[in-house]
């Protein structure tokens, strides 16, 4: 399996659960796969497809995604096709004929195909070994993306009662999960649920002061990288995109109100790296699988944690460090409350308030954001610091908040524990509010007692007191504050409390990564342009040619032989053949001009088991490295072989009469003379007696190489 993973996909290792899932379906068992976006679900059916006889049928709801996935498979040399309404009858007939002949390993189809009698007839004539249902939450009416066509999938079980079914999704609450299992009769399925932590994403909340200025700065810092900016309204997206274009940034809007043609081209330009920035409403994202989105920015407050997590999930699918930045101000929350108030249905309205409240709580956190997100989804994240959220990266300073907390709590008590946060704050700040005066609250001792904190400060302090369970909140629409038992004790015992000093504007550092830090930016740019050119010639998105990780590794290690190039992540046999030469030419020229040398690509643990069969013998591979004047140790590392084996190769090559310059490998003169003398003394050419004479300071490899220079 590791061999197939490298030759066809160019990867060295499985991601968590991939291997287990693949083994499960290979054993003919149904599987249910719940994995976050970017977790690597596709591979779970694409790799088994290569090992099974016949064809793997993949049901996918999004026509645009289908094409991208098939393009990516074909670029890896895997016979894959899709059938959907964008094709002509003739094209479909051709694809079906090919599939019947057994020429296709993976066939994508849209769910609405399944009710067409002719398609059913076609299915009955082919050998199907695995059925994969991607985005399987679409089958559930309880989910957020119900598609009636998905109900047709049930009939697949009738047509193929013996064939294992794999259902995959990134989003499923307990209820939706049960619904999927039930609808697809997956009662025997093995269930795989992976962690929803996305370690390569960092979560940052910025205070919305000069948000536009901050935004521009962030975008400039990430020039040439793909970014999605989510806005509240359609109008916002158009305005912001226009403003960004004025700044010279390539930004396009996207929302459901645009002409479908404009929507399509804007999305296409984003996917093809012609526009770096898409400014969108949440209508954007379902239809794209772009792996190299480095930034997801929420310019306005999201409506719920679920939505927020799903939108941020679109960053960094390729596993490279990426940032999720949210601009927060309490004014945004108030604006949203205004819209929620318009919702007529009471339970819906209450629910919306609750969701918004949870979102505000997240923004005002003074503890790890990742921990909070994961525990929201029922996962227990144990790490002390996640190293990837603004709080963990720069823990806020604390201050003595005893007195201000006492003032807040007294105000709550004095007004009778019947009012909400804003009212309490108004009292504390001495606002000339009609309601306060009518209720005579301006005569209370706590009225106007605070003059060293702003309204926003007070909101945050109250949030902290809530999260520390000193005060409690009840009611959805107009939540009322009251003291908890804990809070009463706090006052009575005159306890002290220290709270975080609000928001330090987070530094935008992210978890570092060797490849992230050290690659040559200039060469990366050149390779990026080359990638774009090739992609355009072939009419595919750039990431189908190579992902960002592959380009970064090239710009770090400067591989210039087939052997080392094939070690780059994402380079399998097909891509080596198709793109190796042209990319290596650029690398070689750049290395020469800048006087840089190829670096050794570290061998991954599983390297031994993933030898690629290539033309030329193992000796020829070593010869290529000799030509690059690598040391014995370097060659051994690059090839994943022992130094003694490499020495034996060199000897073999010399005995073939190969014309290679190995002079640089000759031991230094002093050493060489000692070895020479020892050979003479031993009276023969065997290595062991010489080693005996010289002792452990000399390795067998050294002796072997030296022997070549002794006539
Ligand atoms: P999902 O469908 O779960 O959102 P994808 O299947 O689109 O995720 O995979 C996300 C990215 O991860 C893709 O760019 C894919 O090539 C990459 N990927 C998948 N498996 C591996 C692996 N074992 N090693 C490295 N990259 C992988
Ligand atoms: Mg997917
Ligand atoms: Zn954290």
């Amino acid at each position: 399996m590791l061999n197939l993973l490298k030759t066809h996909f160019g990867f060295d290792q499985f991601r968590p659960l991939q291997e287990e899932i693949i083994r499960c379906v290979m054993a003919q068992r149904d599987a249910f796969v719940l994995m976050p976006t970017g977790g690597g679900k596709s591979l779970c059916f694409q790799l088994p497809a290569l090992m099974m006889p016949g064809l793997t049928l993949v049901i996918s709801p999004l026509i645009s995604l289908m094409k991208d996935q098939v393009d990516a498979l074909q670029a890896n040399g895997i016979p894959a096709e899709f059938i959907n309404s964008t094709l002509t009858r003739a094209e479909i007939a051709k694809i079906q004929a090919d599939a019947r002949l057994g020429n296709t390993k993976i066939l994508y189809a849209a769910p609405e195909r399944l009710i067409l009698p002719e398609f059913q007839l076609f299915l009955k004539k082919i050998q199907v070994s695995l059925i994969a249902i991607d985005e399987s939450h679409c089958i559930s009416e309880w989910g957020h993306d119900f598609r009636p066509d998905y109900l047709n999938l049930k009939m697949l079980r009738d047509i193929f009662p013996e064939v294992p079914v794999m259902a995959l999704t990134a989003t499923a609450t307990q209820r939706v999960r049960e619904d999927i299992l039930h609808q697809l009769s997956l009662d025997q399925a093995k269930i795989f649920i992976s962690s929803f932590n996305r370690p390569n994403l960092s979560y940052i909340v910025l205070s919305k002061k000069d948000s536009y200025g901050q935004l521009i700065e962030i975008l400039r810092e990430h020039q040439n990288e793909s970014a999605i900016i989510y806005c509240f309204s359609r109008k916002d997206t158009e305005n912001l995109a226009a403003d960004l274009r004025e700044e010279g940034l390539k930004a396009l809007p996207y929302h459901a109100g645009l002409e479908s043609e404009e929507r399509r081209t804007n999305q296409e330009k984003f996917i093809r790296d012609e526009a770096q920035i898409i400014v969108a409403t949440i209508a954007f994202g379902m239809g794209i699988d772009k792996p190299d989105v480095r930034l997801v920015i929420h310019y306005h407050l999201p409506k719920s944690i679920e939505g927020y997590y799903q939108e941020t999930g679109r960053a960094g699918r390729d596993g490279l460090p990426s940032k999720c930045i949210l601009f927060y101000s309490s004014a945004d929350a108030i604006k949203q409350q205004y819209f929620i108030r318009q919702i007529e249905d009471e339970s819906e309205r209450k629910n919306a308030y609750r969701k918004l409240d949870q979102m505000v709580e997240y923004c005002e956190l003074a503890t790890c954001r990742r921990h909070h997100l994961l525990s929201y989804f029922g996962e227990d994240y144990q790490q002390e610091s996640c190293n990837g959220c603004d709080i963990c990266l720069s823990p806020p300073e604390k201050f003595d908040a005893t007195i201000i907390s006492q003032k807040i709590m007294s105000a709550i008590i004095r007004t009778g524990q019947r009012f909400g946060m804003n009212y309490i704050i108004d009292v504390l700040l001495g606002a000339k509010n009609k309601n306060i005066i009518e209720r005579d609250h301006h005569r209370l001792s706590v009225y106007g007692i605070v003059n060293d904190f702003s309204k926003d400060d007070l909101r945050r302090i109250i949030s902290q007191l809530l999260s520390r369970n000193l005060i409690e909140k009840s009611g959805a629409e107009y939540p009322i504050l009251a003291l908890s038992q804990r809070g009463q004790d706090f006052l009575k015992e005159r306890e002290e409390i220290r709270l975080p000093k609000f928001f330090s504007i987070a530094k935008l550092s992210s978890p570092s990564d060797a490849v992230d830090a050290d690659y040559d930016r200039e060469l990366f740019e050149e390779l990026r342009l080359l990638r774009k050119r090739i992609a355009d010639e072939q009419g595919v998105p750039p990431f189908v040619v190579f992902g960002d990780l592959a380009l970064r590794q090239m710009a770090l290690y400067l591989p210039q032989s087939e052997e080392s190039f094939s070690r780059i992540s994402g380079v399998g046999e097909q891509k080596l053949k198709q793109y190796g030469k042209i990319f290596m030419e650029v690398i070689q020229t750049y290395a020469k001009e800048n006087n840089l040398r190829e670096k050794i690509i570290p061998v991954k643990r599983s390297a031994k088991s993933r030898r690629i069969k290539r033309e030329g013998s193992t000796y020829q591979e070593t010869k290529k490295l000799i030509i690059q004047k690598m040391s014995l140790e370097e060659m051994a590392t690059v090839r994943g072989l022992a130094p003694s084996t490499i020495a034996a190769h060199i000897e073999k090559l010399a005995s073939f009469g190969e014309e290679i310059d190995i002079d640089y490998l000759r031991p230094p003169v002093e050493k060489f003379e000692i070895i020479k003398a020892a050979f003479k003394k031993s009276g023969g050419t065997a290595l062991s007696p010489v080693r005996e004479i010289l002792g452990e300071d000399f390795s067998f490899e050294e002796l072997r190489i030296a022997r070549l220079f002794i006539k």
Side-chain angles (χ1 to χ4, degrees):
M1 274 164 45
L2 281 168
N3 258 325
L4 287 174
L5 184 67
K6 181 62 191 169
T7 48
H8 289 286
F9 299 93
F11 301 138
D12 291 315
Q13 280 157 319
F14 284 109
R15 294 244 184 102
L17 289 187
Q18 282 180 333
E19 188 173 355
E20 292 84 336
I21 294 165
I22 294 168
R23 288 194 190 287
C24 169
V25 292
M26 290 306 293
Q28 301 294 309
R29 203 170 152 190
D30 295 340
F32 173 77
V33 176
L34 183 58
M35 222 187 236
T37 310
K41 288 186 286 297
S42 324
L43 196 92
C44 298
F45 53 82
Q46 290 170 347
L47 191 81
L50 300 175
M51 295 189 278
M52 290 172 154
L55 162 159
T56 289
L57 178 66
V58 185
I59 306 297
S60 166
L62 296 156
I63 289 176
S64 56
L65 277 190
M66 239 182 248
K67 177 158 182 359
D68 284 352
Q69 294 216 4
V70 167
D71 280 346
L73 285 166
Q74 289 179 348
N76 276 324
I78 298 166
E81 298 291 349
F82 65 84
I83 294 183
N84 63 31
S85 56
T86 64
L87 301 181
T88 62
R89 285 185 84 85
E91 284 167 324
I92 293 177
K94 163 106 184 41
I95 290 167
Q96 294 189 343
D98 266 358
R100 267 203 296 272
L101 291 173
N103 293 336
T104 309
K105 287 309 295 178
I106 304 180
L107 181 66
Y108 282 76
E112 62 271 16
R113 286 282 123 189
L114 294 169
I115 37 164
L116 305 179
E118 60 212 64
F119 191 74
Q120 289 178 13
L121 209 65
F122 156 71
L123 287 179
K124 284 176 187 149
K125 283 191 205 142
I126 55 174
Q127 184 190 5
V128 174
S129 297
L130 173 63
I131 297 168
I133 298 173
D134 210 359
E135 314 290 349
S136 60
H137 57 276
C138 293
I139 203 171
S140 173
E141 291 180 58
W142 305 114
H144 56 83
D145 197 30
F146 174 58
R147 308 209 166 201
D149 283 325
Y150 258 61
L151 295 172
N152 302 333
L153 295 178
K154 294 174 186 173
M155 80 178 59
L156 282 175
R157 289 242 93 149
D158 302 332
I159 306 180
F160 302 107
E162 302 295 323
V163 176
V165 170
M166 176 188 277
L168 309 102
T169 177
T171 46
T173 57
Q174 183 66 28
R175 191 174 193 181
V176 172
R177 192 187 310 168
E178 279 162 16
D179 207 20
I180 296 170
L181 295 175
H182 171 71
Q183 300 273 6
L184 293 170
S185 344
L186 290 175
D187 27 320
Q188 299 297 316
K190 195 156 176 195
I191 294 176
F192 296 92
I193 299 177
S194 79
S195 164
F196 269 62
N197 185 21
R198 300 278 311 276
N200 62 316
L201 301 189
S202 37
Y203 301 94
I204 296 151
V205 177
L206 295 178
S207 143
K208 216 170 179 174
K209 270 190 205 120
D210 183 24
S211 52
Y212 185 69
Q214 291 191 69
L215 177 69
I216 298 291
E217 207 172 300
I218 295 164
L219 292 173
R220 290 213 194 288
E221 210 178 294
H222 290 267
Q223 224 155 32
N224 290 329
E225 296 184 343
S226 295
I228 304 174
I229 305 175
Y230 284 108
C231 289
F232 188 65
S233 71
R234 297 174 178 185
K235 196 95 208 95
D236 291 334
T237 70
E238 291 184 22
N239 292 342
L240 184 58
D243 288 347
L244 294 178
R245 280 198 301 274
E246 295 263 298
E247 308 275 347
L249 295 160
K250 289 186 187 158
L252 294 173
Y254 186 102
H255 59 74
L258 292 177
E259 289 290 322
S260 72
E261 183 55 26
E262 188 178 359
R263 243 185 7 231
R264 205 187 55 75
T265 46
N266 287 2
Q267 170 168 324
E268 192 74 7
K269 282 187 177 158
F270 180 65
I271 288 171
R272 291 179 187 258
D273 289 346
E274 274 147 32
Q276 257 65 58
I277 304 164
I278 202 107
V279 187
T281 60
I282 53 171
F284 181 78
M286 256 306 269
I288 66 153
D289 241 354
K290 191 168 168 42
D292 51 6
V293 175
R294 294 276 88 84
L295 274 175
V296 169
I297 298 176
H298 283 83
Y299 202 54
H300 296 118
L301 190 64
K303 292 192 180 74
S304 71
I305 300 240
E306 285 92 344
Y308 172 68
Y309 201 66
Q310 193 171 9
E311 285 137 29
T312 56
R314 292 171 186 142
R317 281 172 190 253
D318 54 9
L320 289 175
S322 307
K323 289 173 192 143
C324 310
I325 298 173
L326 190 161
F327 284 100
Y328 169 72
S329 81
S330 51
D332 261 7
I334 291 167
K335 187 165 144 196
Q336 290 219 5
Q337 279 168 354
Y338 169 80
F339 286 105
I340 294 174
R341 224 166 289 145
Q342 327 286 318
I343 300 176
E344 295 207 347
D345 181 83
E346 192 190 331
S347 79
E348 216 179 292
R349 187 173 61 239
K350 277 197 172 148
N351 197 34
Y353 274 121
R354 198 167 48 84
K355 298 274 175 201
L356 178 64
D357 210 45
Q358 289 166 339
M359 203 57 232
V360 169
E361 189 186 346
Y362 169 81
C363 293
E364 300 197 336
L365 278 179
T367 50
C368 178
R369 298 198 199 275
R370 185 183 312 271
H371 182 278
H372 188 87
L373 287 171
L374 290 172
S375 65
Y376 182 87
F377 294 108
E379 217 176 292
D380 193 17
Y381 182 77
Q382 290 288 2
Q383 237 89 283
E384 184 76 23
S385 155
C386 82
N387 243 327
C389 78
D390 51 318
I391 307 284
C392 291
L393 290 171
S394 53
E397 262 179 71
K398 295 200 168 175
F399 74 105
D400 185 344
T402 310
I403 292 177
I404 185 66
S405 303
Q406 289 169 347
K407 286 179 181 171
I408 291 169
M409 291 158 92
S410 327
I412 293 173
I413 295 174
R414 293 290 159 82
T415 51
Q417 316 207 53
R418 290 187 293 123
F419 297 92
M421 169 139 52
N422 289 328
Y423 190 84
I424 300 293
I425 291 176
D426 277 353
V427 170
L428 286 165
L429 291 174
K432 298 198 173 39
N433 170 328
K434 196 170 100 237
N435 291 331
I436 292 179
I437 300 184
E438 271 170 16
R439 294 188 179 107
D440 251 5
H441 284 158
H442 62 299
R443 294 185 200 284
L444 294 174
S445 60
V446 289
Y447 181 76
I449 199 178
V450 172
N451 52 22
D452 43 354
F453 291 92
S454 71
K455 204 166 182 157
D456 268 355
D457 291 342
L458 287 172
R459 295 178 62 86
R460 283 171 198 146
I461 296 173
I462 292 175
S463 295
Q464 298 300 319
L465 298 178
L466 279 164
S467 73
R468 279 170 173 70
N469 212 5
L470 292 169
I471 50 184
E472 290 168 344
K473 194 156 61 168
S474 57
E477 192 160 350
Y478 299 106
I480 286 168
L481 298 181
L483 258 65
S484 65
Q485 186 57 49
R486 189 56 210 91
Q488 291 171 20
D489 294 346
F490 171 87
L491 281 186
K492 207 160 66 209
E493 308 290 330
R494 301 186 166 275
E495 286 176 41
E496 291 185 357
I497 183 169
R498 295 180 67 75
L499 292 177
K501 229 175 175 176
F502 322 125
F503 293 172
S504 45
I505 295 290
K507 280 194 273 332
L508 287 176
S509 54
S510 58
S512 70
D513 167 327
V515 176
D516 188 37
D518 300 337
Y519 67 94
D520 190 311
R521 311 285 148 141
E522 213 174 300
L523 176 56
F524 179 79
E525 271 317 297
E526 281 192 32
L527 296 171
R528 217 171 58 83
L529 293 175
L530 173 64
R531 169 175 75 177
K532 175 71 180 138
R533 211 189 70 217
I534 295 175
D536 286 347
E537 278 166 18
Q538 305 185 341
V540 296
F543 59 77
V544 165
V545 177
F546 282 126
D548 275 6
L549 180 61
L551 296 196
R552 285 187 190 188
Q553 289 187 347
M554 290 178 209
L556 172 63
Y557 299 116
L558 313 169
Q560 292 161 52
S561 68
E562 286 203 349
E563 168 72 34
S564 46
F565 194 81
S566 70
R567 277 169 191 275
I568 299 288
S569 168
V571 178
E573 257 174 16
Q574 179 69 21
K575 292 205 174 162
L576 176 67
K577 219 169 25 195
Q578 205 171 351
Y579 306 124
K581 204 155 150 256
I582 179 160
F583 275 85
M584 281 192 281
E585 268 167 22
V586 171
I587 296 170
Q588 215 147 23
T589 312
Y590 185 87
K592 232 186 234 133
E593 281 169 3
N594 294 281
N595 216 357
L596 299 170
R597 271 193 60 183
E598 172 163 353
K599 292 194 197 108
I600 297 167
I601 304 176
V603 186
K604 294 253 172 65
R605 237 172 319 152
S606 54
K608 276 227 177 68
S609 50
R610 58 152 198 73
R611 296 253 65 90
I612 305 171
K613 297 245 173 358
R614 237 172 281 104
E615 296 141 56
S617 68
T618 180
Y619 306 121
Q620 294 303 320
E621 291 305 328
T622 301
K623 179 178 161 186
K624 284 178 196 152
L625 305 183
I626 298 174
I627 293 168
Q628 294 172 47
K629 301 263 186 292
M630 282 197 188
S631 75
L632 204 63
E633 288 71 32
E634 284 174 331
M635 288 191 263
T637 321
V638 168
R639 298 227 43 209
L641 299 170
S644 58
T645 312
I646 299 288
H649 287 181
I650 296 169
E651 223 176 14
K652 250 313 193 277
L653 287 163
S655 76
F656 295 158
E658 290 265 0
E659 281 186 30
I660 38 169
D661 177 14
I662 54 168
D663 217 45
Y664 77 101
L665 289 168
R666 180 206 284 260
V669 183
E670 258 172 62
K671 260 192 162 174
F672 182 66
E673 288 307 323
I674 297 171
I675 299 172
K676 201 168 152 186
F679 268 105
K680 204 163 179 191
K681 195 167 163 197
S682 78
T685 54
L687 298 177
S688 303
V690 177
R691 182 93 196 285
E692 200 103 308
I693 296 168
L694 293 174
E696 305 234 319
D697 287 349
F698 292 77
S699 68
F700 274 109
E701 299 91 79
E702 246 175 335
L703 302 183
R704 207 184 268 277
I705 300 285
R707 189 168 62 180
L708 292 169
F709 295 95
I710 301 170
K711 285 274 142 44

